[in-house]
């Protein structure tokens, strides 16, 4: 993947070395170490420089990212992709239910990573898979994938610092009460299994979910949920803890009468662009199977 990033040095940054300036923009030490090894990777006013070069206000700094490696063990497969947004630094995808994010033992060729590997191969570009907000296989909706090492690191740091705002839509049977609130219940791995999680106030990690009932239709509640933390299966367990588990959840509530997967959809995603800082916001409408439960055409 080739990417040229162009910066004009502001007066407040005059006197900084190149490495100091880039670290302030979110480049990690590993990013800088890898960029150093790339040919002609740092130019100041058109001249190749080293990371210790001092910058002056008004200088033009160009960073050239040149990645040639591809992710191993991700075979390219021609699968449909619903691309919501794409630029030189990231790609946002509306993932369908049933598609895993990455290959696994029983899903080696039907993942979103396989589809992206094919997408890049068709463009003649190397592909390194850097998914920044992973969804469960049967959860549909928005997920963001970074296109190069710098955007990947910056977006991952946003996730860690909770700067990515995520809103989900979910369906539970009956009338969820109270109609809005915050669930603050720590989560841990359930003893005896490597997959399931459970509420554990003694050993669990902090997990906070804000929810609101958006509508009640056809004997079910449509709930919007915003995450402060991103623990494994957080929404699924928190709604069960509230007493209103998601329908279709084979692990925590195998109520398959109206839907064959957990009724959970990554509805909205918002975050600052990793390179430009511009605010980005994306929306994925409720999928057909969830609309059908609510009898929405």
């Amino acid at each position: 993947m080739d990417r040229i990033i162009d910066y004009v040095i502001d007066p407040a940054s005059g006197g900084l070395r190149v490495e100091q300036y880039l670290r302030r923009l979110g480049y990690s030490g590993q990013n800088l170490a890898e960029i150093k090894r790339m040919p002609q990777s740092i130019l100041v006013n058109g001249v190749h420089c080293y990371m210790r070069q001092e910058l002056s206000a008004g200088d033009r700094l160009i960073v050239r990212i040149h990645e040639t490696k591809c992710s191993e063990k991700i075979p390219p497969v021609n699968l449909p992709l619903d691309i919501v947004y794409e630029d030189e630094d990231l790609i946002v995808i509306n993932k369908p239910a049933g598609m895993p994010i990455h290959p696994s033992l029983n899903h080696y060729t039907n993942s979103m990573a396989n589809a992206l590997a094919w997408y890049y191969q068709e463009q003649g570009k190397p592909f390194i898979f850097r998914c920044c907000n992973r969804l469960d296989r049967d959860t549909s909706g928005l997920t963001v994938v970074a296109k190069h090492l710098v955007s990947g690191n910056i977006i991952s740091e946003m996730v860690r610092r909770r700067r990515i705002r995520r809103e989900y839509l979910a369906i539970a049977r009956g009338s969820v009460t109270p109609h809005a609130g915050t669930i603050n219940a720590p989560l841990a791995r359930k003893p005896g299994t490597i997959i399931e999680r459970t509420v554990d106030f003694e050993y669990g990690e902090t997990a906070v979910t804000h929810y609101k009932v958006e509508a009640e239709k056809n004997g079910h509640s449509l709930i919007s949920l915003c995450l402060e933390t991103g623990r494994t299966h957080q929404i699924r367990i928190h709604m069960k803890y509230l007493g209103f588990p998601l329908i279709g959840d084979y692990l925590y509530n195998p109520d398959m009468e109206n839907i064959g997967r957990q009724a959970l959809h990554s509805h909205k995603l918002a975050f600052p662009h990793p390179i430009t800082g511009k605010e980005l916001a994306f929306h994925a409408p409720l999928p057909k199977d969830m609309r059908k439960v609510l009898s929405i055409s």
Side-chain angles (χ1 to χ4, degrees), residues 17-36:
R17 297 190 303 275
V18 169
E19 62 182 342
Q20 292 175 315
Y21 178 76
L22 295 178
R23 286 301 294 264
R24 291 188 180 188
L25 292 177
Y27 288 60
S28 68
Q30 184 177 353
N31 286 163
L32 297 180
E34 291 185 56
I35 290 170
K36 282 180 186 179

Side-chain angles (χ1 to χ4, degrees), residues 58-78:
D59 280 349
R60 184 182 180 195
L61 168 64
I62 290 177
V63 179
R64 289 177 171 171
I65 300 170
H66 180 65
E67 295 183 288
T68 58
K69 293 183 180 179
C70 290
S71 290
E72 298 179 359
K73 300 179 182 178
I74 301 181
V77 182
N78 187 7

Side-chain angles (χ1 to χ4, degrees), residues 166-209:
R166 296 169 286 174
E167 181 179 319
Y168 291 77
L169 291 174
I171 299 175
R173 190 183 289 269
S175 179
V176 172
T177 53
H179 273 52
T182 296
I183 306 167
N184 189 342
L187 302 179
R189 182 172 290 166
K190 185 177 180 179
T193 174
I194 62 172
I195 299 174
E196 294 184 56
R197 303 301 195 268
T198 188
V199 170
D200 187 333
F201 284 95
E202 186 174 1
Y203 299 109
E205 295 181 294
T206 300
V208 180
T209 305

Side-chain angles (χ1 to χ4, degrees), residues 1-9 17-19 21-23 25 27-28 31-51 55 59-67 88-89 148-151 154 275:
M1 184 67 65
D2 289 316
R3 173 71 164 108
I4 296 175
I5 307 176
D6 198 337
Y7 302 104
V8 176
I9 307 305
R17 297 190 303 275
V18 169
E19 62 182 342
Y21 178 76
L22 295 178
R23 286 301 294 264
L25 292 177
Y27 288 60
S28 68
N31 286 163
L32 297 180
E34 291 185 56
I35 290 170
K36 282 180 186 179
R37 295 192 288 268
M38 297 175 186
Q40 297 287 306
S41 55
I42 301 293
L43 300 177
V44 177
N45 301 324
V47 178
H48 173 59
C49 295
Y50 295 101
M51 291 287 180
L55 297 166
D59 280 349
R60 184 182 180 195
L61 168 64
I62 290 177
V63 179
R64 289 177 171 171
I65 300 170
H66 180 65
E67 295 183 288
E88 294 179 289
D89 304 300
H148 54 77
L149 74 167
V150 174
S151 60
I154 293 174
I275 304 301

Side-chain angles (χ1 to χ4, degrees), residues 226-286:
C226 293
L227 300 178
E228 277 194 28
T229 53
R231 306 300 179 196
T232 300
H233 300 173
Q234 178 172 320
I235 289 174
R236 298 161 66 183
I237 302 168
H238 271 181
M239 288 306 299
K240 181 177 182 179
Y241 176 72
L242 188 67
F244 296 93
L246 307 188
I247 61 171
D249 191 334
Y250 72 98
L251 275 179
Y252 304 109
N253 180 39
D255 175 0
M256 305 294 184
E257 181 181 353
N258 294 297
I259 194 169
R261 53 101 174 188
Q262 67 252 15
L264 183 60
H265 177 65
S266 177
H267 173 54
K268 292 181 180 178
L269 195 63
F271 55 93
H273 192 282
I275 304 301
T276 69
K278 178 183 176 182
E279 283 294 324
L280 301 176
F282 307 102
H283 164 266
L286 201 64

